[in-house]
Amino acid sequence: LPLATPSSTAYAGRFAAFAEACAETCAREAASRLLRRCGLEPMLLRCRKVELLQARGEVLGPAAEAISRETLSAALRAFYSALFQDPAPDLGAIAPDARRAEAKSLCAKILAHAHASVYALAADEGTGGYGETDFLVHSPE
């Protein structure tokens, strides 16, 4: 093998940083795709609106007025079902193993945060407005 030169070392560093950023982007896209496919995207948008309005001291009406209990329940069932399969099969193509593990870990963290946000919003009487929340079968813990 040829010896490393300053320019080849610099190129390798830039390539490694680019590859890391690509793996992160893939993880975020995989998580977003799963959340859209399960139907949780409208509730997550609602979570974001509530968060922004609360930061300004404003209130948004209950989520139940915009997203029915049945719709949210179905989306959560689809989400839970997807987690028992490989939630991000595309990430298996990332190499090396350490970068793939990091991407899968990031994807899992994104999904866990999304679930916790939806759960908290739906369970809160003021922001959720669903009354009975027996459809929230899995807590974020």
Side-chain angles (χ1 to χ4, degrees):
L1 294 172
L3 294 174
T5 64
S7 61
S8 68
T9 302
Y11 178 76
R14 286 194 308 271
F15 180 77
F18 178 72
E20 187 174 322
C22 288
E24 182 180 326
T25 300
C26 288
R28 291 183 186 286
E29 178 57 32
S32 293
R33 200 172 327 126
L34 183 134
L35 293 166
R36 278 191 305 272
R37 189 173 68 238
C38 294
L40 284 176
E41 190 175 36
M43 191 63 163
L44 289 166
L45 290 172
R46 184 81 178 188
C47 290
R48 185 68 180 138
K49 280 183 188 176
V50 166
E51 183 181 293
L52 291 171
L53 288 173
Q54 284 178 342
R56 295 189 334 207
E58 298 177 30
V59 177
L60 187 63
E65 294 175 3
I67 300 161
S68 76
R69 183 180 194 280
E70 293 75 22
T71 299
L72 179 56
S73 179
L76 284 169
R77 283 193 310 275
F79 176 73
Y80 299 144
S81 178
L83 293 181
F84 286 106
Q85 301 164 17
D86 185 356
D90 296 346
L91 299 182
I94 296 175
D97 292 345
R99 186 164 289 127
R100 179 174 48 251
E102 288 173 13
K104 286 186 174 192
S105 175
L106 176 60
C107 183
K109 287 176 185 173
I110 292 167
L111 294 174
H113 182 266
H115 177 256
S117 296
V118 168
Y119 188 96
L121 183 75
D124 183 277
E125 283 198 28
T127 58
Y130 290 100
E132 288 294 317
T133 55
D134 57 338
F135 62 93
L136 297 173
V137 294
H138 299 288
S139 72
E141 292 82 41

